[in-house]
Amino acid sequence: MTETTHSQTTLPGGGAKPRSPEYRLAVDALRGLRQDLIHDAFAYRLLPRMRVDGPLTRRLPGRLRELAAWTPHAVICAAALIALFIATVDQGLALLLGPLAVLPVLLTMVRPVGAFWLSMVATPLALPFGDQWGEWPWLPGSFACHLTVLTVVAVRTRPRAVAWMWTLTALYGILAETLFGSGHYSTNTGPMLVVSALVLLAVTVWHIRRHAEQEVTAQQTVTAHERSRRTLLEERTTIARELHDVVAHHMSVVAIQAEAAPYRVENPPPELEKAFATIRENAVAALTELRRVLGVVRAEDYEAPDAPQPTLADLEGLLANVREAGLGVEKVVTGAVRELPQGVELSAYRIVQEALSNTLRHAPGASARVEIGYVLGGLGLRIVNGPPPNPGLIKPSPGAGHGITGMRERVTMLNGEMTAGQTDDGGYEVAVFLPVALPDEDDA
């Protein structure tokens, strides 16, 4: 037994059958026509002034720059005067033909779609007052007026509305020639359609190019923001990894010492053994929780370094490396050198390292100076370099600025202060202060 399936042409409940794609396309087109040319016909859209931050306008003096902002309005007024001249020269009843050619052009500055309809109405109204043996169906003034209106409206509206306007212009020309053009020797519908199509095509290409440039600019802005954000997150991840290693090392030492302490005392009291056991349990629990929480920042291929994290005591090795790379650098230490918390030592080392790397990258051949000041309540750093002796050797670096971001992150993490900027002689200076609590504050 064969089962046959029949397609249903009507909706359940007696509803109408679905419309075809062609029908929906036609309905959408008519809806767009109504929106663009009827609803928006008299929408008030004042022509904005031109921006004066371009490569040419920004070089103008202040007064001329202010006047240059009115360039679009001046161009439209000049076009209106040209249409007025064409409409009134060698034509009768100039007082009537002049306004019919000028008003639609001027109206484009406030109501662009309404200006198109006014031009369409003014074109047949001007015919009885012109040369009956001249061009048909556009008088010379009407031709210049309508072409100018189409151009300005194309610049100020969307391409879909311009397509509708050109179509209506073609329909008017064809109907006027077919119904009333039999007594005229020459018609100008063809030139109107060809010239206006070329102008509208050029304006449409300009619209597309400007839209593409805006999208590219917006995308570049988003990309730069994402790159900066990614760099910031990567730097924070690096800091978190280093702190994880530092804290994990200290917590491991606390756990080991707490476990070994009872064996160093002969016959320790039970209270002492219990206290050390509690210390060890808390250290192990804190270490486990630390690894669980901060372990997520490690990449799958990340391995903790075998060597301890660098401190200020390792600066001589760093300075020796940069000297071998061609950077003349000297180190000056002031104050009583003392051991600081490992997080401060590590951040100070990384800040000096990044500042010297920036000097090698952005000021090749310059000399640098590293100043370390042990002061009461903190550590001061100042890394300054002179101007590059040969600026032509500097190559553009796409990662410029990311090192400063990393240094600021480290300083912010330690509640410190940092300034970075160019010096008066053309060099660069990074000044940092990292606060360190005094021993009596820790005891308190």
Side-chain angles (χ1 to χ4, degrees):
M1 184 176 183
T2 304
E3 184 175 328
T4 305
T5 302
H6 298 280
S7 60
Q8 189 174 358
T9 58
T10 59
L11 295 176
K17 65 178 181 180
R19 302 294 186 180
S20 64
E22 293 80 5
Y23 176 83
R24 292 196 298 268
L25 183 62
V27 171
D28 292 340
L30 292 177
R31 188 180 295 113
L33 171 63
R34 182 176 58 183
Q35 177 65 36
D36 294 337
L37 298 186
I38 298 177
H39 289 178
D40 297 342
F42 296 99
Y44 182 78
R45 294 179 54 196
L46 183 63
L47 179 65
R49 290 186 295 177
M50 185 181 69
R51 297 177 58 181
V52 292
D53 55 352
L56 296 178
T57 53
R58 70 162 60 103
R59 299 178 181 179
L60 298 175
R63 181 57 180 172
L64 290 179
R65 190 183 300 115
E66 294 179 2
L67 295 176
W70 297 98
T71 301
H73 305 76
V75 171
I76 294 177
C77 291
L81 292 177
I82 294 175
L84 175 63
F85 175 78
I86 296 175
T88 56
V89 65
D90 296 334
Q91 296 286 338
L93 299 176
L95 294 178
L96 294 176
L97 292 177
L100 293 177
V102 171
L103 291 179
V105 178
L106 296 179
L107 189 61
T108 57
M109 292 189 290
V110 290
R111 303 184 189 275
V113 181
F116 166 76
W117 286 115
L118 182 59
S119 178
M120 290 292 293
V121 173
T123 297
L125 290 179
L127 289 175
F129 308 103
D131 185 3
Q132 298 299 321
W133 302 101
E135 297 288 339
W136 180 271
W138 278 278
L139 295 179
S142 300
F143 191 98
C145 169
H146 196 70
L147 186 60
T148 303
V149 168
L150 284 178
T151 304
V152 177
V153 174
V155 174
R156 300 201 60 201
T157 58
R158 65 182 70 181
R160 185 181 69 179
V162 175
W164 282 118
M165 294 178 187
W166 187 88
T167 302
L168 293 178
T169 301
L171 290 176
Y172 166 77
I174 294 173
L175 290 176
E177 288 186 6
T178 303
L179 300 179
F180 308 103
S182 57
H184 297 270
Y185 294 104
S186 87
T187 59
N188 52 11
T189 299
M192 167 62 76
L193 297 182
V194 173
V195 174
S196 61
L198 293 177
V199 173
L200 298 182
L201 178 62
V203 174
T204 302
V205 172
W206 173 77
H207 269 297
I208 294 174
R209 179 178 179 181
R210 187 180 66 170
H211 182 68
E213 290 177 351
Q214 291 175 351
E215 287 188 348
V216 170
T217 302
Q219 187 62 36
Q220 289 177 346
T221 303
V222 173
T223 302
H225 176 72
E226 290 296 329
R227 186 186 298 112
S228 177
R229 183 173 179 270
R230 183 171 63 251
T231 302
L232 182 62
L233 293 177
E234 290 175 354
E235 189 63 33
R236 289 182 177 179
T237 301
T238 302
I239 296 173
R241 289 172 178 173
E242 294 176 347
L243 288 179
H244 175 272
D245 297 335
V246 171
V247 177
H249 169 73
H250 286 293
M251 296 301 294
S252 299
V253 172
V254 170
I256 294 174
Q257 290 182 347
E259 184 178 8
Y263 298 100
R264 297 181 179 181
V265 179
E266 186 177 356
N267 298 323
E271 294 81 3
L272 183 61
E273 292 183 352
K274 184 178 180 180
F276 279 118
T278 302
I279 293 174
R280 181 182 180 280
E281 292 176 359
N282 289 334
V284 172
L287 183 61
T288 303
E289 186 68 16
L290 178 67
R291 287 172 176 169
R292 184 182 68 83
V293 175
L294 295 183
V296 297
V297 304
R298 294 186 184 275
E300 295 182 358
D301 56 348
Y302 174 79
E303 295 182 1
D306 297 332
Q309 296 290 351
T311 63
L312 291 176
D314 303 313
L315 270 183
E316 289 299 334
L318 173 63
L319 299 182
N321 289 334
V322 296
R323 290 190 184 104
E324 292 178 359
L327 176 64
V329 57
E330 63 172 323
K331 184 181 76 169
V332 178
V333 180
T334 58
V337 178
R338 65 183 186 275
E339 185 176 356
L340 301 175
Q342 191 166 358
V344 176
E345 295 262 356
L346 173 62
S347 295
Y349 180 90
R350 295 300 188 198
I351 290 171
V352 174
Q353 182 184 39
E354 185 61 39
L356 295 178
S357 299
N358 287 343
T359 302
L360 285 172
R361 187 183 305 115
H362 302 294
S367 59
R369 178 184 176 92
V370 178
E371 300 177 2
I372 304 174
Y374 291 86
V375 297
L376 187 64
L379 175 70
L381 297 174
R382 182 174 178 266
I383 306 95
V384 59
N385 62 267
N390 190 356
L393 298 177
I394 302 177
K395 298 180 180 180
S397 176
H402 295 169
I404 298 296
T405 301
M407 286 189 277
R408 291 192 187 279
E409 280 295 307
R410 294 181 181 275
V411 173
T412 303
M413 177 189 65
L414 298 174
N415 296 323
E417 299 177 359
M418 172 181 166
T419 59
Q422 289 188 346
T423 59
D424 295 336
D425 60 352
Y428 202 83
E429 177 187 38
V430 176
V432 175
F433 176 76
L434 302 177
V436 178
L438 298 177
D440 54 349
E441 294 179 0
D442 295 338
D443 297 340

